[in-house]
Amino acid sequence: MADIKPVATRPLPDLTEEDTRSFWAATNTQRFVYQQCGSCGMVVFYPRQHCTGCTTGRLEERTSVGKGTIYTYSVVRQSYHPFFRTQVPYVVAWIDLDEGPRFLSNVIGVTSPDLSLIGKRVEITWEGHEGVSIPLFKLI
Amino acid sequence: MGTQVRDAAIVGIHEFPSRDVKGRLSPLHIKAQSAARALDDAGLKWSDVDAIYDAGEGGGMLAGLTIAEYFGIRPNVIDTTAVGGSSYEFHAAHAKRDIAAGKAKVALLTYGSRAHSAAQRIGVGGRAAGRHPADNLDVFAGSTLVSNYALVAHRHMHQYGTTSAQLAEIPVATRYHAMRNPEAVQAMKDLEFLDIRETTVEDVLKSRMIADPLHLLECCMISDGGGAVVIASADVARNCRKKPVWILGSGEATKYPENGGDITISAAAQSGPSAFGEAGIQPSEIDIAMIYDSFSITVLTILEDLGFCPKGEGGRWVEGGILRFDHKGGPALNTDGGGLSSNHPGMRGIFLLIEAARQLRGESHSQVPGAQLAVAHGNGGMLGSRHAAGTIILGRD
């Protein structure tokens, strides 16, 4: 018998990182949150403490409805990472959420990816882990 | 060209010849050996160096403190700008500025790496979480370095109709040049390339897909290596061994993901006009284009952004081999063989300056007769997310 190797798992975010911990905390209730400035209206993403549009505004937390459009994608066919090497081929994509944030994630359940994926509508599907949920996407 | 200021020139160059040091040399060894050879090339001594530029790959956070001691020099100017592979174009820009300001006369830029010996899986390895807020948001997605660039390529195809066959023209041109450069041929042997020969568009398209739409032959090598460049003031340059290669203009920029932004436009669209404007020349006057070729798409995007052709028309523009040194109609691209087929130890920007200087001296293995003007454009970081761009325009007397 071959050695029994520990099952490799998806790399998860550092839940203590100062700017992104509130984003990841919200995933436990399956909410995708982003920030918008109460003064100038700037949508800020990734999360920060300051508005990048003006110097005086306060950022307010908003929740996305979780739908968006594929801006661009690739299909990873080679990875040396212990988890991702078991997942190839898989789709990596920049998703433009309807509220503005552009987010890098995986689109799952795509059987034959081609250029027509760009512009396709997608929605969040949550992958649960201990202390965090990961927002993946599927075609609508 | 009446407004050009010729106050600083590349006077010494050295590209470390080996791409596989088998772990026996450190990055500092490579930097120091290269520096000594580049100073010899210029006819200068260690004690002539009064300004040092270092991206920190040999000394980390304290590079500015330790590198002068290692070399045994006492510089008046210390610049540790670290912007990945574009660091050396930033360094050249800063060296010209510091020399023009009278702060220094002889500037030394060095690079050393053993990315190959250390088996760094740069292209398709894993990435760590938590270094930066943005990285902490996407570490779960498993995007490799290659797929990061592939994201740009797919969007370029979608937006402009660019094809894989058009992208393949870039590695075909650089391999054409590499086969004329003995060090590049040796590099490919040392790194165990299969089937070392000139390639065709079909060869590229038949190589295996690493991350759609980028094929293996559209991806750069991972080598050991390094080099050095000496930049001097006009009065020093006039008395050096080799003809001066003047720094005529420079530009710097960064680009990062923005909500609703256009990923097909790189930071070159900001750094290019600054550099060409300062030099007072047009892209159409450029003989030699040394463009950071981490991947095919990097070059295509940057050629457009620098203004060699209108945005989105790069695919059609590169067709028919116009980037070859012996072909008219376009600049000669990466005449040393580039990162794709000669030398990429992780931060290739210094070789762009070195080969551009060789061309303007008449020393290249793929020499363009009478080459007068060159552009060296470094891209650091990742084209599909956050990156830095440094553009340097070079000219000879």
Side-chain angles (χ1 to χ4, degrees), chain B residues 259-278:
Chain B
N259 301 328
D262 186 344
I263 201 177
T264 69
I265 299 173
S266 78
Q270 184 178 342
S271 65
S274 166
F276 280 102
E278 182 183 355

PDB file of all heavy atoms in Angstrom, chain B residues 259-278:
ATOM      1  N   ASN B 259     -11.922  48.774 -10.026  1.00  0.00           N
ATOM      2  CA  ASN B 259     -13.277  48.404 -10.385  1.00  0.00           C
ATOM      3  C   ASN B 259     -13.618  49.037 -11.736  1.00  0.00           C
ATOM      4  O   ASN B 259     -13.509  50.251 -11.893  1.00  0.00           O
ATOM      5  CB  ASN B 259     -14.271  48.873  -9.316  1.00  0.00           C
ATOM      6  CG  ASN B 259     -13.949  48.263  -7.954  1.00  0.00           C
ATOM      7  OD1 ASN B 259     -13.441  47.139  -7.875  1.00  0.00           O
ATOM      8  ND2 ASN B 259     -14.216  49.006  -6.885  1.00  0.00           N
ATOM      9  N   GLY B 260     -13.964  48.210 -12.685  1.00  0.00           N
ATOM     10  CA  GLY B 260     -14.307  48.722 -14.010  1.00  0.00           C
ATOM     11  C   GLY B 260     -13.125  49.077 -14.888  1.00  0.00           C
ATOM     12  O   GLY B 260     -13.298  49.588 -15.993  1.00  0.00           O
ATOM     13  N   GLY B 261     -11.904  48.800 -14.428  1.00  0.00           N
ATOM     14  CA  GLY B 261     -10.705  49.158 -15.204  1.00  0.00           C
ATOM     15  C   GLY B 261     -10.490  48.257 -16.408  1.00  0.00           C
ATOM     16  O   GLY B 261     -11.106  47.198 -16.529  1.00  0.00           O
ATOM     17  N   ASP B 262      -9.615  48.711 -17.311  1.00  0.00           N
ATOM     18  CA  ASP B 262      -9.309  47.953 -18.529  1.00  0.00           C
ATOM     19  C   ASP B 262      -7.986  47.220 -18.336  1.00  0.00           C
ATOM     20  O   ASP B 262      -6.923  47.825 -18.354  1.00  0.00           O
ATOM     21  CB  ASP B 262      -9.227  48.905 -19.731  1.00  0.00           C
ATOM     22  CG  ASP B 262      -9.067  48.163 -21.051  1.00  0.00           C
ATOM     23  OD1 ASP B 262      -8.710  46.963 -21.039  1.00  0.00           O
ATOM     24  OD2 ASP B 262      -9.293  48.792 -22.103  1.00  0.00           O
ATOM     25  N   ILE B 263      -8.075  45.899 -18.171  1.00  0.00           N
ATOM     26  CA  ILE B 263      -6.896  45.084 -17.868  1.00  0.00           C
ATOM     27  C   ILE B 263      -5.953  44.975 -19.061  1.00  0.00           C
ATOM     28  O   ILE B 263      -4.791  44.604 -18.914  1.00  0.00           O
ATOM     29  CB  ILE B 263      -7.367  43.684 -17.404  1.00  0.00           C
ATOM     30  CG1 ILE B 263      -6.292  42.951 -16.604  1.00  0.00           C
ATOM     31  CG2 ILE B 263      -7.813  42.846 -18.570  1.00  0.00           C
ATOM     32  CD1 ILE B 263      -6.760  41.605 -16.074  1.00  0.00           C
ATOM     33  N   THR B 264      -6.432  45.334 -20.266  1.00  0.00           N
ATOM     34  CA  THR B 264      -5.568  45.218 -21.452  1.00  0.00           C
ATOM     35  C   THR B 264      -4.592  46.386 -21.565  1.00  0.00           C
ATOM     36  O   THR B 264      -3.717  46.365 -22.418  1.00  0.00           O
ATOM     37  CB  THR B 264      -6.383  45.148 -22.757  1.00  0.00           C
ATOM     38  OG1 THR B 264      -7.010  46.420 -22.994  1.00  0.00           O
ATOM     39  CG2 THR B 264      -7.434  44.049 -22.710  1.00  0.00           C
ATOM     40  N   ILE B 265      -4.778  47.402 -20.753  1.00  0.00           N
ATOM     41  CA  ILE B 265      -3.877  48.560 -20.784  1.00  0.00           C
ATOM     42  C   ILE B 265      -2.920  48.461 -19.597  1.00  0.00           C
ATOM     43  O   ILE B 265      -3.355  48.391 -18.447  1.00  0.00           O
ATOM     44  CB  ILE B 265      -4.677  49.878 -20.722  1.00  0.00           C
ATOM     45  CG1 ILE B 265      -5.608  49.980 -21.940  1.00  0.00           C
ATOM     46  CG2 ILE B 265      -3.723  51.077 -20.679  1.00  0.00           C
ATOM     47  CD1 ILE B 265      -6.561  51.161 -21.875  1.00  0.00           C
ATOM     48  N   SER B 266      -1.629  48.447 -19.891  1.00  0.00           N
ATOM     49  CA  SER B 266      -0.625  48.297 -18.831  1.00  0.00           C
ATOM     50  C   SER B 266      -0.108  49.661 -18.397  1.00  0.00           C
ATOM     51  O   SER B 266      -0.427  50.702 -18.992  1.00  0.00           O
ATOM     52  CB  SER B 266       0.538  47.437 -19.333  1.00  0.00           C
ATOM     53  OG  SER B 266       1.388  48.207 -20.157  1.00  0.00           O
ATOM     54  N   ALA B 267       0.753  49.638 -17.390  1.00  0.00           N
ATOM     55  CA  ALA B 267       1.362  50.875 -16.889  1.00  0.00           C
ATOM     56  C   ALA B 267       2.251  51.540 -17.937  1.00  0.00           C
ATOM     57  O   ALA B 267       2.605  52.714 -17.805  1.00  0.00           O
ATOM     58  CB  ALA B 267       2.176  50.578 -15.622  1.00  0.00           C
ATOM     59  N   ALA B 268       2.592  50.803 -19.006  1.00  0.00           N
ATOM     60  CA  ALA B 268       3.395  51.388 -20.089  1.00  0.00           C
ATOM     61  C   ALA B 268       2.678  52.556 -20.752  1.00  0.00           C
ATOM     62  O   ALA B 268       3.326  53.455 -21.298  1.00  0.00           O
ATOM     63  CB  ALA B 268       3.722  50.325 -21.134  1.00  0.00           C
ATOM     64  N   ALA B 269       1.349  52.546 -20.696  1.00  0.00           N
ATOM     65  CA  ALA B 269       0.600  53.648 -21.311  1.00  0.00           C
ATOM     66  C   ALA B 269       0.858  54.961 -20.585  1.00  0.00           C
ATOM     67  O   ALA B 269       0.645  56.045 -21.135  1.00  0.00           O
ATOM     68  CB  ALA B 269      -0.894  53.318 -21.310  1.00  0.00           C
ATOM     69  N   GLN B 270       1.317  54.870 -19.335  1.00  0.00           N
ATOM     70  CA  GLN B 270       1.656  56.067 -18.560  1.00  0.00           C
ATOM     71  C   GLN B 270       3.155  56.373 -18.626  1.00  0.00           C
ATOM     72  O   GLN B 270       3.548  57.531 -18.770  1.00  0.00           O
ATOM     73  CB  GLN B 270       1.211  55.870 -17.109  1.00  0.00           C
ATOM     74  CG  GLN B 270       1.425  57.091 -16.224  1.00  0.00           C
ATOM     75  CD  GLN B 270       0.925  56.860 -14.795  1.00  0.00           C
ATOM     76  OE1 GLN B 270       0.144  55.943 -14.527  1.00  0.00           O
ATOM     77  NE2 GLN B 270       1.390  57.679 -13.873  1.00  0.00           N
ATOM     78  N   SER B 271       3.991  55.326 -18.533  1.00  0.00           N
ATOM     79  CA  SER B 271       5.446  55.571 -18.512  1.00  0.00           C
ATOM     80  C   SER B 271       5.983  55.889 -19.903  1.00  0.00           C
ATOM     81  O   SER B 271       6.959  56.640 -20.034  1.00  0.00           O
ATOM     82  CB  SER B 271       6.178  54.351 -17.942  1.00  0.00           C
ATOM     83  OG  SER B 271       6.039  53.220 -18.784  1.00  0.00           O
ATOM     84  N   GLY B 272       5.379  55.329 -20.948  1.00  0.00           N
ATOM     85  CA  GLY B 272       5.881  55.502 -22.314  1.00  0.00           C
ATOM     86  C   GLY B 272       5.861  56.945 -22.789  1.00  0.00           C
ATOM     87  O   GLY B 272       6.906  57.479 -23.209  1.00  0.00           O
ATOM     88  N   PRO B 273       4.705  57.616 -22.743  1.00  0.00           N
ATOM     89  CA  PRO B 273       4.669  58.995 -23.221  1.00  0.00           C
ATOM     90  C   PRO B 273       5.653  59.914 -22.498  1.00  0.00           C
ATOM     91  O   PRO B 273       6.228  60.822 -23.100  1.00  0.00           O
ATOM     92  CB  PRO B 273       3.216  59.409 -22.953  1.00  0.00           C
ATOM     93  CG  PRO B 273       2.458  58.128 -22.996  1.00  0.00           C
ATOM     94  CD  PRO B 273       3.381  57.105 -22.414  1.00  0.00           C
ATOM     95  N   SER B 274       5.849  59.672 -21.203  1.00  0.00           N
ATOM     96  CA  SER B 274       6.813  60.462 -20.443  1.00  0.00           C
ATOM     97  C   SER B 274       8.222  60.284 -21.004  1.00  0.00           C
ATOM     98  O   SER B 274       8.961  61.250 -21.224  1.00  0.00           O
ATOM     99  CB  SER B 274       6.758  60.037 -18.970  1.00  0.00           C
ATOM    100  OG  SER B 274       7.859  60.538 -18.260  1.00  0.00           O
ATOM    101  N   ALA B 275       8.588  59.017 -21.278  1.00  0.00           N
ATOM    102  CA  ALA B 275       9.937  58.724 -21.768  1.00  0.00           C
ATOM    103  C   ALA B 275      10.142  59.244 -23.193  1.00  0.00           C
ATOM    104  O   ALA B 275      11.158  59.892 -23.490  1.00  0.00           O
ATOM    105  CB  ALA B 275      10.188  57.219 -21.714  1.00  0.00           C
ATOM    106  N   PHE B 276       9.193  58.961 -24.063  1.00  0.00           N
ATOM    107  CA  PHE B 276       9.330  59.413 -25.454  1.00  0.00           C
ATOM    108  C   PHE B 276       9.286  60.944 -25.535  1.00  0.00           C
ATOM    109  O   PHE B 276      10.003  61.552 -26.331  1.00  0.00           O
ATOM    110  CB  PHE B 276       8.244  58.782 -26.338  1.00  0.00           C
ATOM    111  CG  PHE B 276       8.553  57.363 -26.746  1.00  0.00           C
ATOM    112  CD1 PHE B 276       7.935  56.289 -26.101  1.00  0.00           C
ATOM    113  CD2 PHE B 276       9.466  57.105 -27.754  1.00  0.00           C
ATOM    114  CE1 PHE B 276       8.229  54.988 -26.469  1.00  0.00           C
ATOM    115  CE2 PHE B 276       9.767  55.798 -28.137  1.00  0.00           C
ATOM    116  CZ  PHE B 276       9.151  54.734 -27.485  1.00  0.00           C
ATOM    117  N   GLY B 277       8.445  61.538 -24.698  1.00  0.00           N
ATOM    118  CA  GLY B 277       8.349  62.989 -24.688  1.00  0.00           C
ATOM    119  C   GLY B 277       9.657  63.640 -24.266  1.00  0.00           C
ATOM    120  O   GLY B 277      10.120  64.607 -24.881  1.00  0.00           O
ATOM    121  N   GLU B 278      10.266  63.111 -23.210  1.00  0.00           N
ATOM    122  CA  GLU B 278      11.537  63.663 -22.741  1.00  0.00           C
ATOM    123  C   GLU B 278      12.631  63.512 -23.808  1.00  0.00           C
ATOM    124  O   GLU B 278      13.445  64.419 -24.010  1.00  0.00           O
ATOM    125  CB  GLU B 278      11.981  62.967 -21.448  1.00  0.00           C
ATOM    126  CG  GLU B 278      13.266  63.524 -20.865  1.00  0.00           C
ATOM    127  CD  GLU B 278      13.734  62.771 -19.622  1.00  0.00           C
ATOM    128  OE1 GLU B 278      13.008  61.875 -19.153  1.00  0.00           O
ATOM    129  OE2 GLU B 278      14.835  63.081 -19.136  1.00  0.00           O
TER     130      GLU B 278
END
